Amino acid sequence: MTNRAPSEQPQKSEDGGWPQRLGRISTAVEAWRRRAEDPQPPEPQSSLATDSIEGLNVENLIWYSMCISSEHLDFALDAMRATSTMYPTAYMTVARTAFVAAVNTVWVLAPSSRQQRRERALELRADDLRAQVTSFRNMRIPKGVSEDARTEFVEQIRERQAHLQKVATTLGMKQDVTKIRFNQTNAIDWVAEHMHGVGNDLLIAGTQFVWRSGSAAAHAQYHFGIMRMDRSEAVREDSGSSVVRLRGDLETDVGPALAAATLTLSEAFRLYDLRRVRHDVSAGAV
């Protein structure tokens, strides 16, 4: 029998390194959250302003993801301070959202080609609309309740898809936007190579591990706990069975997950600031 319970106090690394790192992360996150409260639009004729075309606002899409990422990082740090408890899986779930949102921003902003940035932004938007249609179309309606509201909502999304299809045609994309599926794992792998270099296998593998661990925790997958039993406390009972208390791990799980999200969001803000400001054309800006 397995019983997972949080430790009463946050786990600390022996050299105190992770608490110090969390302090630096907190400083960065606080600055990002202040920016989210007072956003500055891209300068006219800047790279980011020019990326957007009628029917596809690239800046809105990525700014939303950046705000979501910083919000989740801020929440995780606030929860640690307020509860003094290192929960086994909850922080991993929050860190996963922060990481994914930051990755998607970098994935859109990093390419040097404006065409590729637009196509990636459109892919994210198309996948979002497709997911909305699937969600509401498959939702069960209680007996006696009219389906008119659902039908109207789905029709509205279909109209947005039709408008997005026109944008895709303008960009020379031949895909049916209603069938576009965004591959999150491929985006994470691409961003890892962009940030760490194709040959840096250790950091790339570490980034992939953070993503997969966060997904396992977020989806309550049993193997997340089983793989960590050797770190946890086993208590033998009179019946002969054991109770295993799964403890949150700052050094091995939570710390790296928050650090990966922070590093990726830092790159997102770097790219955002680079493309948000108008540069001299002679400097080679795109």
Side-chain angles (χ1 to χ4, degrees), residues 12-220:
K12 296 182 180 180
S13 59
E14 294 180 359
D15 61 358
W18 273 111
Q20 293 178 7
R21 294 186 188 105
L22 289 179
R24 293 194 292 271
I25 289 174
S26 180
T27 299
V29 171
E30 184 177 346
W32 293 331
R33 291 293 293 153
R34 285 199 299 268
R35 288 190 61 174
E37 294 171 358
D38 185 24
Q40 294 180 312
E43 294 181 358
Q45 300 182 17
S46 65
S47 174
L48 187 54
T50 310
D51 281 350
S52 296
I53 58 176
E54 185 177 355
L56 181 67
N57 191 311
V58 177
E59 195 268 341
N60 280 359
L61 184 72
I62 60 175
W63 181 252
Y64 175 79
S65 289
M66 293 165 71
C67 290
I68 293 298
S69 181
S70 62
E71 175 195 353
H72 279 70
L73 284 170
D74 195 33
F75 174 82
L77 295 168
D78 278 350
M80 287 183 188
R81 285 188 288 260
T83 66
S84 297
T85 300
M86 185 54 58
Y87 294 97
T89 62
Y91 292 120
M92 296 295 291
T93 299
V94 176
R96 173 186 182 271
T97 299
F99 179 60
V100 167
V103 161
N104 293 349
T105 301
V106 174
W107 185 73
V108 172
L109 281 178
S112 58
S113 163
R114 171 165 293 120
Q115 175 70 13
Q116 190 173 15
R117 295 196 297 271
R118 287 171 169 173
E119 289 182 359
R120 289 186 171 189
L122 187 141
E123 183 176 334
L124 282 175
R125 180 61 178 148
D127 185 73
D128 181 69
L129 290 173
R130 180 196 57 77
Q132 288 184 64
V133 170
T134 301
S135 174
F136 282 91
R137 186 178 57 202
N138 297 335
M139 185 180 297
R140 178 174 295 183
I141 302 297
K143 291 182 179 180
V145 177
S146 173
E147 291 197 13
D148 291 348
R150 176 170 64 179
T151 300
E152 181 181 354
F153 187 77
V154 172
E155 287 178 352
Q156 290 176 0
I157 300 175
R158 291 297 190 192
E159 290 178 4
R160 293 170 191 160
Q161 288 178 320
H163 290 307
L164 194 63
Q165 188 68 62
K166 293 179 181 179
V167 177
T169 300
T170 300
L171 294 177
M173 300 174 65
K174 298 181 179 180
Q175 297 99 316
D176 181 348
V177 299
T178 66
K179 298 179 181 179
I180 289 178
R181 288 181 174 269
F182 170 63
N183 190 311
Q184 187 68 70
T185 302
N186 287 348
I188 288 170
D189 290 346
W190 190 94
V191 169
E193 291 184 359
H194 160 77
M195 291 180 58
H196 308 304
V198 177
N200 199 327
D201 293 337
L202 181 61
L203 278 174
I204 292 175
T207 301
Q208 294 170 339
F209 179 76
V210 165
W211 155 242
R212 286 163 174 79
S213 295
S215 294
H219 292 104

